[in-house]
């Protein structure tokens, strides 16, 4: 009988290369394990049935890894919306269509006969996690982090103050946010935050709407942007240029926008310019580019301006003199930077404040995680599920991947790597007998019946493909967008279920 390499490795205390250990988790090993009737590797004759909660990148990448690593395992992906793909559909900017190509890979996974998409089912509301754990061998929480984060300062409720999260969801046609009353009559916008989402917001506000016509932005959002009066967008950061969270590709794109001048103060970069050669990549490339641009005049007379300002924290959002219910400016605290022995740089208030007039404010200080079910051990401070290498604390059979595990940081590649890790952990636990497939693990069957009894309208992947087709067919020669998104859940259901 063959002993799997990872068990052999532990028995004999020998060093086995990581790649070889991983090989053991691939199809041939599991085929043997399944058909052997006795011995260390035979666990059960039942098929492992895994439930994934959330159909964003984390859900699909975890499912992909599980299906690839086990010849019989089945995955059911539950999604609260009738449509899949999470932030790839509702977060990634419309003018970055190449990023959305991952949808092709996710579609292949969804169309694997061992994978099912179960849309329009909200876990924690329609079904509880503890019920899922009864009928699945394992449950993976991959429901992202879409909670609003507030600045917690006076004036945050004034008109003209927007959440970047909602603004992004609005222009991308998320059913919960399409009705956001966006008014871009003002000329000057301030964005609190200096991450890639803040840059996305600035680019959407400053880019010529003509350049957005051939994207999947909603017609309603395009219409508002066409009437926009916004001329200046300033991104404010608490710390210095070295700590800005955006990446070089996103910043460089801003510097190349037609009719938009990038305004950086030379004084913010004079010290960095002296040490730029010694900065480690990839930061070095970003700093070199910023140092090169700093202080450049608007020599070609660009009519719009993109500014970065540093070492400023929000203190209060001030009402306009003409309309006390509308934003008219912000009060910010000037900070100084403190470099710690660990290399970490923090900001400290100087006690000096500054008032900056503006017509619009966007809060782009990150997304927050939240629990969807009281049974889930959740770290409220960090906004993540409590876990150890993807295994949720004190909940055998429960796992997590993606932003609900890591917090809302990183890009698709980091989410992919993290989800593959969780997939490997589950395969390992199946291999080690920590997870035992059983006759009780009937998967979706019983649940779908229960949901049907409650008249929940379930959308399968074919249902999504009907919505997809309908969206694509709505574009025309006069509106040459790749798709016109359906933004209403009832309409989605009508198309998917007929
Ligand atoms: C505005 C924005 C732009 C971005 N742009 C880029 C980019 O250009 N390039 C890049 O590489 N990365 C980008 N990212 C990062 C990327 O989107 C994330 O890395 C990735 O989406 C995280 O995946 P996730 O599956 O953890 O979360 P999500 O994508 O949020 O997916 C979670 C899914 O779970 C579903 N869900 C939530 N609650 C429930 C529930 N109770 N029951 C069932 N389903 C539920 C949600 O509807 C959603 O479909 C961007 C992120 C944001 C916020």
């Amino acid at each position: 009988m063959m002993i799997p390499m990872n068990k052999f490795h532990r028995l004999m205390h020998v060093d086995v290369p990581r790649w070889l250990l991983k090989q053991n988790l691939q199809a041939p090993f599991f085929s043997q394990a399944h058909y052997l009737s006795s011995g260390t590797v035979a666990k059960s004759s039942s098929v492992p049935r895994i439930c994934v909660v959330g159909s964003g990148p984390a859900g699909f990448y975890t499912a992909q890894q599980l299906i690839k690593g086990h010849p019989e395992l089945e995955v059911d992906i539950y999604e609260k919306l009738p449509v899949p793909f999470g932030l790839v559909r509702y977060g990634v900017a419309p003018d970055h269509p190449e990023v959305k190509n991952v949808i092709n890979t996710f579609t292949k996974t969804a169309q694997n006969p061992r994978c099912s998409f179960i849309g329009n089912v909200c876990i924690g509301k329609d079904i509880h996690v503890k019920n899922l754990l009864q009928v699945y061998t394992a449950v993976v929480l991959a429901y992202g982090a879409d909670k609003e984060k507030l600045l917690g300062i006076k004036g945050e409720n004034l008109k003209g103050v927007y959440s970047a999260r909602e603004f992004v969801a609005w222009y991308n046609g998320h059913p919960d946010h399409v009705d956001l009353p966006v008014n871009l009559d003002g000329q000057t916008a301030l964005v609190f935050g200096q991450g890639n989402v803040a840059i996305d917001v600035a680019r959407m506000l400053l880019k010529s709407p003509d350049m957005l016509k051939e994207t999947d932005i909603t017609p309603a959002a395009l219409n508002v942007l066409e009437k926009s009066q916004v001329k200046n967008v300033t991104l404010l950061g608490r710390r210095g240029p070295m700590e800005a969270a955006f990446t070089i590709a996103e910043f460089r794109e801003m510097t190349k926008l037609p009719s938009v001048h990038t305004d950086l103060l030379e004084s913010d970069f004079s010290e960095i310019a002296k040490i730029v050669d010694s900065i480690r990549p990839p930061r070095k490339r970003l700093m070199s580019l910023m140092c090169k641009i700093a202080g450049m005049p608007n020599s070609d007379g660009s009519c719009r301006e993109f500014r970065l300002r540093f070492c400023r924290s929000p203190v209060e959002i001030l009402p306009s003199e003409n309309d006390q219910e509308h934003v008219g400016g912000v009060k910010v605290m000037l900070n100084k930077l403190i470099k710690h022995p660990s290399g970490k740089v923090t900001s400290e208030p100087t006690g000096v404040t500054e008032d900056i007039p503006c017509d619009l404010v966007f809060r782009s200080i990150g997304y927050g995680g939240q629990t969807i079910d009281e049974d889930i051990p959740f770290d409220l401070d960090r906004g993540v599920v409590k876990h150890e290498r993807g295994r949720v604390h004190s909940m055998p059979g429960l796992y997590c991947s993606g932003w609900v595990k890591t917090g809302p940081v990183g890009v698709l590649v980091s989410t992919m790597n993290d989800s593959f890790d969780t997939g490997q952990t589950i395969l390992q636990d199946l291999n080690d007998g920590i997870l035992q497939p059983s006759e009780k693990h009937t998967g979706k069957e019983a649940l779908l019946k229960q949901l049907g009894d409650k008249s929940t309208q379930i959308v399968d992947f074919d249902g999504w493909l009907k919505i997809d087709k309908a969206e694509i067919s709505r574009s025309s020669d006069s509106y040459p967008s790749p798709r016109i998104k359906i933004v209403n859940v009832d309409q989605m259901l009508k198309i998917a279920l007929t």
Side-chain angles (χ1 to χ4, degrees):
M1 186 202 325
M2 189 182 99
I3 297 175
M5 188 59 81
N6 50 358
K7 286 199 171 159
F8 173 77
H9 151 243
R10 258 178 277 133
L11 285 171
M12 305 304 288
H13 304 288
V14 291
D15 277 326
V16 176
R18 238 177 107 75
W19 66 267
L20 196 53
L21 289 174
K22 283 196 176 169
Q23 294 297 309
N24 265 330
L25 301 175
Q26 305 302 315
F29 165 67
F30 276 104
S31 311
Q32 283 201 33
H34 186 69
Y35 292 112
L36 284 172
S37 57
S38 63
T40 52
V41 291
K43 306 293 181 205
S44 156
S45 60
S46 302
V47 171
R49 295 204 167 82
I50 314 292
C51 163
V52 171
V53 180
S55 72
F60 272 107
Y61 282 128
T62 308
Q64 179 187 330
Q65 185 75 348
L66 289 169
I67 289 170
K68 186 179 147 212
H70 194 293
E72 293 182 313
L73 176 152
E74 294 174 6
V75 182
D76 297 337
I77 304 178
Y78 289 79
E79 168 58 50
K80 71 173 174 183
L81 290 171
V83 293
F85 311 136
L87 284 169
V88 176
R89 181 174 160 97
Y90 291 124
V92 171
D95 59 340
H96 284 173
E98 68 291 347
V99 178
K100 302 185 193 215
N101 287 341
V102 290
I103 285 178
N104 299 332
T105 311
F106 299 161
T107 298
K108 268 193 202 148
T109 300
Q111 289 179 326
N112 186 303
R114 291 191 281 128
C115 184
S116 303
F117 171 76
I118 302 165
N120 200 37
V121 177
C122 185
I123 303 304
K125 200 169 136 228
D126 296 323
I127 306 175
H128 287 281
V129 170
K130 63 173 185 282
N131 303 125
L132 293 172
L133 284 166
Q134 283 161 3
V135 294
Y136 283 98
T137 315
V139 175
V140 187
L141 304 172
Y143 62 82
D146 70 347
K147 194 176 146 203
E148 190 59 45
K149 265 190 170 176
L150 296 173
L151 293 164
I153 58 173
K154 200 173 157 199
E156 219 167 343
N157 293 328
L158 289 172
K159 282 187 201 147
V161 179
Y162 297 95
S163 127
R165 187 185 69 90
E166 288 181 351
F167 183 67
V168 163
W170 166 77
Y171 62 61
N172 275 315
H174 191 295
D176 295 347
H177 301 285
V178 276
D179 295 328
L180 188 74
V182 177
N183 180 335
L184 304 178
D185 282 350
Q187 293 206 349
T188 306
L190 278 186
V191 182
F192 284 114
Q194 292 186 334
N196 281 339
V197 176
I199 294 250
D200 278 354
V201 168
R203 196 176 66 254
M204 295 303 285
L205 290 171
L206 290 171
K207 198 169 194 168
S208 159
D210 281 347
M211 295 172 77
L212 296 172
K213 276 193 173 137
E214 295 191 14
T215 72
D216 65 2
I217 188 170
T218 65
L222 184 61
N223 188 29
V224 172
L225 289 170
E226 278 171 339
K227 293 185 193 138
S228 164
Q229 299 299 312
V230 175
K231 298 269 181 289
N232 308 302
V233 180
T234 305
L235 265 55
L236 292 178
R238 272 182 308 127
R239 296 183 290 166
M242 287 282 281
E243 287 71 48
F246 51 74
T247 42
I248 186 161
E250 278 64 26
F251 176 72
R252 190 187 287 117
E253 193 178 352
M254 290 306 296
T255 67
K256 293 194 169 159
L257 280 187
S259 308
V260 178
H261 171 65
T262 298
D263 175 63
L264 304 183
L265 297 178
E266 209 168 1
S267 54
D268 281 333
F269 291 87
S270 49
E271 290 306 310
I272 294 174
K274 290 179 198 161
I275 55 150
V276 72
D277 287 339
S278 62
I279 299 171
R280 273 193 282 175
R283 199 100 297 232
K284 180 178 176 177
R285 284 197 304 138
L286 176 61
M287 288 306 120
S288 304
L289 177 61
M290 291 170 97
C291 287
K292 202 169 121 196
I293 288 169
M296 272 194 184
N298 182 0
S299 48
D300 58 0
S302 293
C303 54
R304 277 165 276 144
E305 204 158 63
F306 168 60
R307 296 181 189 139
L308 292 175
R309 295 293 182 265
F310 302 95
C311 295
R312 280 156 172 81
S313 295
V315 173
E316 185 182 343
I317 301 180
L318 307 165
S320 151
E321 279 177 13
N322 305 328
D323 178 356
Q324 288 293 302
E325 289 183 3
H326 198 280
V327 58
V330 296
K331 185 182 285 298
V332 293
M333 172 67 68
L334 304 193
N335 297 327
K336 61 180 179 207
L337 296 177
I338 309 289
K339 188 157 187 183
H340 298 268
S342 64
K344 194 177 169 194
V345 175
T346 54
S347 61
E348 208 169 79
T350 59
V352 180
T353 60
E354 180 183 85
D355 289 355
I356 310 174
C358 66
D359 308 303
L360 297 160
V361 168
F362 291 84
R363 190 174 52 222
S364 183
I365 52 169
Y367 288 45
Q370 61 190 327
T371 185
I372 52 163
D373 197 314
E374 57 186 18
D375 295 329
I376 302 170
F378 201 79
D379 183 336
L380 288 170
D381 291 336
R382 293 181 53 230
V384 292
V385 171
K386 290 183 183 168
H387 73 96
E388 192 74 42
R389 286 199 51 225
R391 296 180 185 96
V392 176
H393 285 184
S394 64
M395 298 277 286
L398 191 61
Y399 297 79
C400 56
S401 66
W403 275 16
V404 76
K405 171 186 174 192
T406 60
V409 287
V411 289
L412 287 171
V413 174
S414 33
T415 299
M416 178 185 76
N417 288 331
D418 168 74
S419 308
F420 285 175
D421 274 354
T422 296
Q424 283 295 334
T425 301
I426 295 170
L427 292 169
Q428 184 73 58
D429 287 355
L430 279 167
N431 180 29
D432 290 349
I434 294 168
L435 287 175
Q436 300 266 4
S438 118
E439 307 293 322
K440 284 186 282 175
H441 299 150
T442 51
K444 58 185 176 291
E445 266 166 46
L447 292 177
L448 291 186
K449 189 175 170 321
Q450 254 179 46
L451 289 169
D453 292 346
K454 286 198 262 173
S455 22
T456 308
Q457 295 176 289
I458 294 156
V459 177
D460 61 12
F461 205 72
D462 284 343
W464 150 246
L465 291 176
K466 285 189 200 168
I467 298 172
D468 185 41
K469 195 171 161 202
E471 289 185 343
I472 293 168
S473 70
R474 290 165 95 202
S475 67
S476 62
D477 290 346
S478 57
Y479 203 93
S481 142
R483 68 175 63 237
I484 298 181
K485 283 184 187 167
I486 291 158
V487 297
N488 173 288
V489 167
D490 287 339
Q491 213 182 335
M492 288 176 183
L493 292 176
K494 204 169 156 200
I495 294 168
L497 302 174
T498 47

